[in-house]
Amino acid sequence: LEDATKARAMVRSSTYARTCSWSAVLGVAFVVPLCAAFSIPGLSGISTKVAARNGMALGGLRPAGLTFSARCLRPSKCISRSRALQMSSETEVEERRLELTLGELCKTLVSVCTSGTLCTTLPVFEDAQGSVLERFGPESQANIEKWERDGKEYPFGTLVTYLLNEKGEPYMLLANNAAHTRNLQNNPKVALYAQNPKSPGQAGARVTLVGEIQKITSPAELKDCKEFYADRFPEQAAPLEDERFERFFSMYKIQLKDIYYVSGFGVTTCWVA
């Protein structure tokens, strides 16, 4: 009986020892990763020792030789290689990109707009007090000398629609009795201001075309201009197809002398050769 009692006591003692041993191992398995993650001093090497002693990773421990870290950074060599590839790609794109000349840029801008401000000169005759007595120049040969001596001219802007011919010259449809038409008959020097309506204000790019305007009289050129104009501006097609066209309307084109380009507010402004 005494021997049986001793045997049972030894079994219980052995069982308790194994239970304590496994409890300790499991405790280390859960506590060490937490300590390493929060960088608790003095516990950085426990995981490696425990894993090496047991010969395997227990309860989520990493293999021997690895240390715990809160963040995983990419190797510097990989970062440098990735950056080099990105720079190489950007260089190839830069080399393949086509750059427009300043003249091509202005022509593109003017062709996109199709409407602008036509600036002519309004001739007026004033009295001694500065009141306007007559406009649009002398109506007879008898008044030419008086207008040349006392007449004045002021800038006069009106809205017009236009298209570009194969030379890049703007051509437009003007009524014969319109103010700008009467002005240009007295002085053919004009300016056409164009700005993309999708980029309004001073921040948008704009162009001023300077030149002399002349009436289109060539039958072949007039026919082509009327066809293109009617196709692009269908609301103005009726007078172009009317038999009395020449009585009420005319087609004009501007022979360019100079171009002034502004790319935006406080940036590039230049005369284009």
Side-chain angles (χ1 to χ4, degrees), residues 67-85:
T67 59
F68 292 91
S69 176
R71 292 180 299 174
C72 182
L73 300 177
R74 295 178 61 189
S76 58
K77 292 183 179 180
C78 294
I79 296 176
S80 301
R81 182 181 180 185
S82 176
R83 180 56 182 166
L85 291 174

Side-chain angles (χ1 to χ4, degrees), residues 10-23:
M10 292 177 63
V11 170
R12 285 196 298 268
S13 177
S14 177
T15 302
Y16 178 76
R18 287 196 299 271
T19 302
C20 291
S21 176
W22 279 106
S23 297

Side-chain angles (χ1 to χ4, degrees), residues 206-226:
R206 56 262 192 195
V207 175
T208 302
L209 308 177
V210 181
E212 294 188 5
I213 194 168
Q214 65 178 18
K215 186 176 180 180
I216 299 176
T217 56
S218 171
E221 184 180 6
L222 181 61
K223 180 182 178 181
D224 291 339
C225 290
K226 290 169 68 175

Side-chain angles (χ1 to χ4, degrees), residues 7-270:
R8 286 195 298 270
M10 292 177 63
V11 170
R12 285 196 298 268
S13 177
S14 177
T15 302
Y16 178 76
R18 287 196 299 271
T19 302
C20 291
S21 176
W22 279 106
S23 297
V25 171
L26 292 176
V28 171
F30 284 104
V31 172
V32 169
L34 294 176
C35 295
F38 290 96
S39 301
I40 298 178
L43 295 177
S44 59
I46 294 180
S47 62
T48 303
K49 295 179 181 178
V50 173
R53 184 180 61 192
N54 290 277
M56 59 181 178
L58 300 176
L61 290 179
R62 299 182 182 183
L66 295 179
T67 59
F68 292 91
S69 176
R71 292 180 299 174
C72 182
L73 300 177
R74 295 178 61 189
S76 58
K77 292 183 179 180
C78 294
I79 296 176
S80 301
R81 182 181 180 185
S82 176
R83 180 56 182 166
L85 291 174
Q86 182 180 359
M87 294 177 63
S88 176
S89 177
E90 292 176 354
T91 303
E92 293 177 359
V93 172
E94 187 72 19
E95 292 176 352
R96 291 197 303 266
R97 187 174 64 181
L98 298 178
E99 293 288 345
L100 294 177
T101 65
L102 198 55
E104 292 171 338
L105 184 63
C106 292
K107 185 176 181 180
T108 302
L109 178 59
V110 176
S111 63
V112 168
C113 296
T114 69
S115 66
T117 302
L118 179 66
C119 185
T120 57
T121 53
L122 172 65
V124 299
F125 189 82
E126 303 173 347
D127 59 14
Q129 288 74 32
S131 300
V132 177
L133 300 178
E134 298 180 27
R135 299 181 180 85
F136 304 120
E139 296 182 358
S140 63
Q141 292 293 329
N143 295 330
I144 292 180
E145 184 178 350
K146 180 184 68 173
W147 274 87
E148 290 178 350
R149 184 181 68 250
D150 301 322
K152 298 180 181 180
E153 291 184 340
Y154 293 94
F156 187 84
T158 52
L159 177 66
V160 295
T161 55
Y162 65 88
L163 291 176
L164 300 182
N165 59 19
E166 66 279 0
K167 297 180 180 179
E169 299 172 334
Y171 64 92
M172 61 201 68
L173 174 67
L174 302 179
N176 294 339
N177 62 346
H180 46 231
T181 306
R182 299 179 66 180
N183 290 341
L184 62 87
Q185 289 174 352
N186 179 72
N187 186 353
K189 295 179 174 61
V190 298
L192 178 64
Y193 173 85
Q195 181 174 1
N196 191 339
K198 294 184 179 180
S199 302
Q202 292 186 329
R206 56 262 192 195
V207 175
T208 302
L209 308 177
V210 181
E212 294 188 5
I213 194 168
Q214 65 178 18
K215 186 176 180 180
I216 299 176
T217 56
S218 171
E221 184 180 6
L222 181 61
K223 180 182 178 181
D224 291 339
C225 290
K226 290 169 68 175
E227 290 179 354
F228 283 115
Y229 210 85
D231 182 66
R232 181 62 180 80
F233 305 108
E235 70 279 4
Q236 303 182 37
L240 294 170
E241 300 170 355
D242 197 310
E243 296 179 354
R244 300 168 297 174
F245 169 80
E246 295 182 356
R247 180 180 175 184
F248 298 103
F249 294 91
S250 298
M251 297 291 294
Y252 289 84
K253 67 179 179 181
I254 301 177
Q255 291 185 323
L256 301 179
K257 302 295 182 181
D258 220 334
I259 301 174
Y260 185 67
Y261 173 72
V262 180
S263 62
F265 180 75
V267 288
T268 303
T269 59
C270 59

